[in-house]
Amino acid sequence: MEFLFAPFEVSFVLRALIAGVLAAVLCGCIGTWVVLRGLAFFGDAMSHGMLPGVAIAALLGGHLMVGAAASALVMAAGITWVSRESKLSQDVGIGLLFVGMLAVGVVIVSHSQSFAVDLTGFLFGDVLGVRSQDLIVLAGAACLGVLACTLLHRPFLALAFDERKAATLGMRPGWTHIAMLMLTALAVVASFQVVGTLLVFGLLIGPPATACLLFDRVGVIMAAASVIGASACFVGLLVSWYAQTSAGATIALLTVLIFFVVLVARRVRSALRYFYHNENRYQ
């Protein structure tokens, strides 16, 4: 059993595990609402739309997370404004801002060849490079995310399942939707340094989607998603340590693999139950 814990005796691997668990809790809680509300495309667009802010922050010598947060706020506000002003579906606003923000980021990066290494870290993450101060920020974001999901549980639940009913109950679905977008931005911004913007989508969508296959109650789904995400971080770091693979990519890949394993297992179980039921029926 020593091989299971030997890698975590190294300080930077242990910090990576702590960061991964914190990100899993944050993304598990907020990702549950992303999945139930059907905001997966928004989460993906948000993870790419942070590139301009991160690029500008890197070029100016600022903190990358501050730049990412600024881009995320612009993206969320822009999507909301486009949807209201154009009267088109939210997907249109998300698509336009997604392409626009990503293009701006690429234009900025293309003028700085020295930014290539940082761009790789931005896209694919550097979980093994997490610092102690990053853990403090991530822990604060996780606490804020869990608290917000707890306080806004009823409005989020009403909005996720029946927006008109939420309006009838006086829960202000418009403001609730904005709050949900802000929390999604929080999860993406706080977690991108752990697994990168292209891979944060795995933690945000994979574990909650898997938990939705297994459970019905929202609170249980959040808890299960957090556990699944944390387990993927633990196993992913182990695999990357011994197989010499990218830690962030390995973690994200595991979140997707777990979903498909559970999905196939459910299908096999249903087929076996159907076969067993028919066999007993004709005996």
Side-chain angles (χ1 to χ4, degrees), residues 132-159:
S132 299
Q133 50 266 44
D134 295 327
L135 294 180
I136 295 174
V137 173
L138 194 52
C143 292
L144 179 61
V146 172
L147 178 62
C149 287
T150 301
L151 295 177
L152 297 173
H153 179 82
R154 288 189 63 202
F156 280 177
L157 189 64
L159 180 65

Side-chain angles (χ1 to χ4, degrees), residues 125-263:
D126 186 16
V127 65
L128 298 179
V130 173
R131 301 165 298 178
S132 299
Q133 50 266 44
D134 295 327
L135 294 180
I136 295 174
V137 173
L138 194 52
C143 292
L144 179 61
V146 172
L147 178 62
C149 287
T150 301
L151 295 177
L152 297 173
H153 179 82
R154 288 189 63 202
F156 280 177
L157 189 64
L159 180 65
F161 291 102
D162 194 336
E163 185 172 347
R164 287 178 295 182
K165 184 68 173 178
T168 302
L169 295 174
M171 292 186 176
R172 298 184 177 182
W175 288 106
T176 302
H177 180 67
I178 293 175
M180 194 176 290
L181 296 185
M182 292 295 102
L183 284 178
T184 304
L186 171 68
V188 173
V189 170
S191 303
F192 87 93
Q193 287 188 312
V194 177
V195 293
T197 57
L198 292 180
L199 304 175
V200 69
F201 201 53
L203 276 180
L204 189 66
I205 302 300
T210 304
C212 285
L213 295 177
L214 299 172
F215 306 101
D216 297 323
R217 296 180 58 187
V218 174
V220 178
I221 291 173
M222 288 183 178
S226 300
V227 172
I228 293 170
S231 300
C233 291
F234 179 81
V235 177
L237 287 171
L238 276 179
V239 172
S240 68
W241 176 269
Y242 290 110
Q244 298 297 306
T245 58
S246 169
T250 304
I251 292 170
L253 179 59
L254 280 175
T255 63
V256 177
L257 287 177
I258 291 171
F259 171 81
F260 283 106
V261 167
V262 172
L263 185 63

